Each structure stands twice: as structure tokens, then as C-alpha cells.
């Protein structure tokens, strides 16, 4: 979509969509590693992710600049398609070999909502404090109070739901 964008506004919108997809892919990759790799080996895979990110953040702009000068800016976006297709094939082949989960996972929607509410209102309180409003202003105090209430509700709910986001045993596991 970015390569086909007819205007700067459309390019910006498509890049925003591309960023959402990229963020989802990073999260998905880390989730797969957490599912497949033992806790003792996860640091190694985390290092692989970090190394890849470091190389890409240095080499990407250089390669992108060269491609833009030689072929045009649209080619930078077309260039990602064969790389993505190759990654898709490798992941498909590798993940098909993994054992399948026999029971369907249930999504804890209330837990997600409470955790999102707790973190969002905490960030709002910290962002607003001493910048837009005073630390003792009603808005900042309300944000912190709502964050505390959502946090307490989240912790309480996690002990009662069948498939919690953070099982109580999670907090006792030193790994």
C-alpha cells in the first residue's frame, strides 16, 4: 500500500498501518518464542531479536537510501514483499512441526480491560503530573486512583478466572 500511495497523506496512513502490523509481528514472534523455547534459553533468543534490531536499524536506512537513489522511493516498500514472503514460508514450515495445543485458549477480556485501564490511567497521571496539571490536581489524583482501582480489580480477577493472563503461580516463579 505504501508503494502505491498517490499522495503524502495516503503514504502516512499506510505507514501507520504498516507500523501496527510490524508491532503485531514483533509481539507475535516473541509470543511464539515464549511458547516454544524453555525459560532458560529465552535470553538467547532475546539477544537474537536485539541483534537483528540493531543491524536493521543501522543497515536499513543505508540500504533504503541507496535503493531510493538508484531505483526510487517506492522500491523500498516493494523490497519488503519477497523478504516477508520468505519469512512466511520459513515460519510456516517450522511452526507446522510443533505440537498442537489440544484445548482452545479462552481470552480473559475482563482481565485485558482491567490491565489496559490500569496502565493507561497510570501513564496519564504520570504524563499529566507537573506538566499540564499539578501533581495534586483532581485530574492527576483521579487518574492515579482509577489506576489503583483497576490494578486491584485486575489482581483480584486473576485469582478467579479459569485462564488468567497472569496466574498467581507466575508471581511465585523466580524465573
Amino acid at each position: 500500500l505504501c508503494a502505491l500511495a498517490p499522495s503524502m497523506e495516503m503514504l502516512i496512513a499506510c505507514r501507520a498501518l504498516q507500523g501496527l502490523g510490524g508491532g503485531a509481528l514483533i509481539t507475535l514472534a516473541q509470543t511464539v518464542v515464549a511458547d516454544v523455547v524453555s525459560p532458560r534459553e529465552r535470553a538467547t533468543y532475546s539477544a537474537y531479536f536485539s541483534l537483528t534490531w540493531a543491524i536493521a536499524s543501522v543497515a536499513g536506512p543505508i540500504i533504503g537510501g541507496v535503493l531510493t537513489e538508484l531505483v526510487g522511493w517506492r522500491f523500498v516498500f516493494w523490497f519488503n514483499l519477497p523478504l516477508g514472503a520468505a519469512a512466511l514460508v520459513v515460519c510456516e514450515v517450522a511452526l507446522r512441526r510443533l505440537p498442537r495445543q489440544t484445548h482452545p485458549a479462552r481470552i480473559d477480556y475482563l482481565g485485558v480491560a482491567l490491565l489496559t485501564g490500569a496502565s493507561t490511567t497510570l501513564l496519564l497521571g504520570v504524563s499529566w503530573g507537573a506538566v499540564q496539571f499539578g501533581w495534586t490536581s483532581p485530574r492527576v489524583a483521579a487518574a492515579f486512583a482509577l489506576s489503583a482501582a483497576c490494578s486491584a480489580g485486575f489482581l483480584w480477577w486473576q485469582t478467579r478466572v479459569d485462564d488468567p493472563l497472569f496466574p498467581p503461580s507466575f508471581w511465585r516463579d523466580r524465573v
Side-chain angles (χ1 to χ4, degrees):
L1 292 174
C2 291
L4 298 173
S7 66
M8 182 57 76
E9 291 79 14
M10 187 65 167
L11 177 61
I12 292 169
C14 292
R15 285 286 289 151
L17 182 63
Q18 185 181 26
L20 288 173
L25 284 175
I26 291 170
T27 304
L28 180 62
Q30 291 172 340
T31 301
V32 169
V33 168
D35 234 13
V36 175
V37 177
S38 71
R40 190 175 301 274
E41 297 174 330
R42 286 185 195 153
T44 302
Y45 284 85
S46 180
Y48 293 153
F49 280 116
S50 297
L51 180 63
T52 302
W53 177 255
I55 291 169
S57 64
V58 172
I62 295 169
I63 294 169
V66 170
L67 291 174
T68 300
E69 284 295 317
L70 297 176
V71 186
W73 68 267
R74 293 180 189 274
F75 184 76
V76 172
F77 297 107
W78 292 118
F79 185 75
N80 289 321
L81 291 178
L83 293 176
L88 181 65
V89 169
V90 168
C91 288
E92 177 69 23
V93 169
L95 292 176
R96 288 254 180 232
R97 296 180 185 160
L98 297 176
R100 293 185 180 253
Q101 197 175 22
T102 57
H103 65 16
R106 292 181 296 271
I107 298 175
D108 177 16
Y109 290 106
L110 180 58
V112 169
L114 288 168
L115 183 60
T116 302
S119 58
T120 302
T121 52
L122 176 66
L123 289 173
L124 281 173
V126 170
S127 297
W128 286 340
V131 176
Q132 289 178 314
F133 309 101
W135 284 108
T136 58
S137 74
R139 280 193 186 175
V140 173
F144 286 140
L146 189 55
S147 178
C150 287
S151 296
F154 174 75
L155 293 173
W156 173 83
W157 179 247
Q158 294 303 288
T159 62
R160 280 148 183 78
V161 68
D162 291 334
D163 200 5
L165 294 171
F166 291 104
S169 62
F170 172 80
W171 303 108
R172 291 187 293 272
D173 186 354
R174 287 181 48 188
V175 174

